Amino acid sequence: MRHSDSIQTWKKDIIHYHLNQSYGELNTQPDIDYLLDKYHIFPNETLYVIDCKRAQLESLSENFNQIIGIERKNKNDLSVLYDHVDESNTSALHHWVMTNLRTAFNKSTGVQTEKDVFKCLYKTFDGRVLLKCTTGLVYDSAGAMRYTLGKLIDMTGLTSFQHFGYEYDGPNKEKFYQMYKSGLDHECILTKREKEILCLLREGFTSRVIASKLYISVHTVDTHRRNIIDKMGTKTAMEAYRKCKNSGWL
């Protein structure tokens, strides 16, 4: 699969973000045996640890290549986590990863290691569905995240996939969700009303019913509908909805 220059650029952004942090002293190292014993994996799962300071990945299970569906050219390069992603999901995944890095890289944000978990569901270039779960593992003396633990789960055939999805789990899930949504709202090219109408269209409501629900005219609903399609560069409102979901805007 060939990735566009923009995709190559955002992979570099993620790597550079890891490399350009202010790190302190490290008092402890991840206990690999402990992790393997604690996080039992099934055949459709793979476990890995990321050394944030070096932007390097170490797979902890032999089936890592099988799960991501590609052979790793650079064995420990962090970008391997993104080389297999379908292009329709790359924009949403990029925003998801970068937002969570900014949220969790500094321990002062309150993230709790191995308790606060960041999850997203995406499609691979060969049509499979993967669930990515990440949690902070070790912070250093400067409060910078030094190691993270990740798990990839092949959900193909186990769940239906319509678009990129995400979820927070753990004691800070509501705070992290609001931080993420705030960034999306700032980035989204649709207005709040347009997003509202798009979601109602997705539910199958006609323009007349939507007009009644929102106390606006049918003409106004149809105008919003045309604007949505024009902004998203699609032919139908349903295509616009899927594109917005894959951008993480809804």
Side-chain angles (χ1 to χ4, degrees):
M1 175 188 180
R2 296 183 61 186
H3 286 263
S4 66
D5 291 341
S6 62
I7 297 172
Q8 295 294 342
T9 298
W10 71 250
K11 288 194 299 182
K12 292 178 181 178
D13 287 344
I14 293 173
I15 291 174
H16 289 165
Y17 189 89
H18 283 79
L19 295 175
N20 294 331
Q21 299 302 308
S22 297
Y23 293 99
E25 297 296 323
L26 191 63
N27 298 319
T28 183
Q29 295 281 346
D31 187 332
I32 302 302
D33 291 335
Y34 160 79
L35 294 174
L36 289 173
D37 183 61
K38 180 177 180 179
Y39 297 96
H40 300 289
I41 58 172
F42 295 96
N44 66 324
E45 301 176 347
T46 191
L47 203 65
Y48 60 90
V49 168
I50 291 177
D51 180 339
C52 300
K53 186 176 182 178
R54 297 171 57 237
Q56 295 285 291
L57 177 149
E58 179 183 354
S59 57
L60 304 185
S61 44
E62 295 180 356
N63 63 343
F64 184 84
N65 286 5
Q66 177 185 345
I67 296 296
I68 62 173
I70 58 174
E71 290 295 326
R72 292 180 285 170
K73 295 180 180 180
N74 300 309
K75 185 176 180 181
N76 296 319
D77 190 337
L78 183 58
S79 67
V80 72
L81 287 174
Y82 313 105
D83 287 333
H84 63 291
V85 180
D86 186 82
E87 289 203 43
S88 65
N89 283 184
T90 52
S91 176
L93 186 61
H94 177 212
H95 186 85
W96 169 254
V97 171
M98 289 303 297
T99 300
N100 292 336
L101 285 175
R102 297 186 187 103
T103 298
F105 227 101
N106 194 313
K107 196 174 183 180
S108 64
T109 59
V111 64
Q112 296 190 30
T113 58
E114 297 188 72
K115 292 183 180 179
D116 285 311
V117 182
F118 306 81
K119 302 178 181 179
C120 67
L121 189 74
Y122 63 90
K123 185 173 69 173
T124 67
F125 71 89
D126 56 356
R128 293 177 301 112
V129 181
L130 296 188
L131 175 64
K132 183 177 185 288
C133 308
T134 307
T135 186
L137 195 59
V138 176
Y139 283 83
D140 63 23
S141 61
M145 186 166 61
R146 184 60 183 274
Y147 288 95
T148 62
L149 178 68
K151 178 188 283 188
L152 292 175
I153 306 172
D154 191 337
M155 302 292 291
T156 309
L158 300 176
T159 185
S160 60
F161 182 85
Q162 300 296 325
H163 46 71
F164 177 85
Y166 60 89
E167 181 182 7
Y168 291 96
D169 207 0
N172 290 296
K173 62 182 181 180
E174 288 301 325
K175 179 176 73 172
F176 294 150
Y177 174 79
Q178 291 303 325
M179 293 173 71
Y180 178 66
K181 287 297 293 181
S182 175
L184 287 180
D185 291 341
H186 179 73
E187 179 186 86
C188 183
I189 61 175
L190 299 183
T191 66
K192 182 178 179 180
R193 176 65 87 185
E194 287 170 342
K195 289 191 291 183
E196 188 176 18
I197 289 175
L198 189 57
C199 288
L200 290 171
L201 288 169
R202 173 64 179 83
E203 292 180 24
F205 294 116
T206 64
S207 293
R208 187 171 299 279
V209 173
I210 294 173
S212 177
K213 284 179 173 291
L214 301 180
Y215 302 102
I216 57 179
S217 70
V218 175
H219 173 73
T220 299
V221 173
D222 288 338
T223 299
H224 280 307
R225 188 171 187 162
R226 289 192 297 270
N227 289 340
I228 291 168
I229 292 172
D230 182 58
K231 284 183 178 181
M232 298 306 297
T234 60
K235 295 181 178 179
T236 68
M238 290 304 97
E239 288 179 11
Y241 178 85
R242 287 191 291 271
K243 190 170 182 179
C244 281
K245 290 294 286 188
N246 280 325
S247 296
W249 294 343
L250 294 175

